[in-house]
Amino acid sequence: MASYVAPFYLKKFGSPEHPQELEDKHFCIGYLNAVSGQIMTMDFEKDGQKLEIAPNYIMSVNDSRTYLNAAIAGMGVAQLAPFMADDAIKRGELIRVLPDWEHESLP
């Protein structure tokens, strides 16, 4: 998983430099686990350092297509599997942020 935003979001809010900035300096899109009813945390890893962030969620959804479209619409930072973001990146609709920080994709 990696973190992505729309170009509009970058112009308005800038790019986060560290995952902890997602807690108070940026907006994020939450993904709601339909089974537990809980919003999933954003997990990051870099050089063996693991962080679990509880971001400033502007909205939460429980559908992957809606999640992707919210990111494309500039609602905030979203963590997506690269295969989900590839087409939007090619169209210039998403840009990767926090490139040194990522985590394993969900099974």
Side-chain angles (χ1 to χ4, degrees):
M1 301 279 272
S3 301
Y4 300 92
V5 296
F8 167 80
Y9 182 92
L10 283 181
K11 286 179 188 173
K12 189 166 185 174
F13 300 105
S15 181
E17 299 296 321
H18 191 277
Q20 288 177 321
E21 290 181 18
L22 301 179
E23 293 181 322
D24 60 359
K25 295 180 181 172
H26 287 275
F27 296 105
C28 296
I29 304 161
Y31 196 89
L32 183 69
N33 182 316
V35 175
S36 71
Q38 299 294 313
I39 299 172
M40 298 171 64
T41 59
M42 288 186 158
D43 300 318
F44 294 89
E45 185 173 347
K46 177 183 175 183
D47 300 329
Q49 178 187 9
K50 293 183 180 187
L51 295 175
E52 183 179 283
I53 302 297
N56 182 18
Y57 292 117
I58 193 162
M59 67 179 292
S60 297
V61 299
N62 67 351
D63 175 80
S64 59
R65 186 168 299 273
T66 304
Y67 188 67
L68 173 63
N69 287 332
I72 290 170
M75 297 297 294
V77 179
Q79 279 192 329
L80 297 160
F83 78 88
M84 289 181 65
D86 283 346
D87 287 342
I89 291 169
K90 290 175 187 170
R91 292 189 303 263
E93 297 172 330
L94 287 179
I95 298 168
R96 186 167 176 189
V97 294
L98 300 168
D100 296 334
W101 293 89
E102 51 186 42
H103 77 90
E104 264 185 48
S105 294
L106 297 173

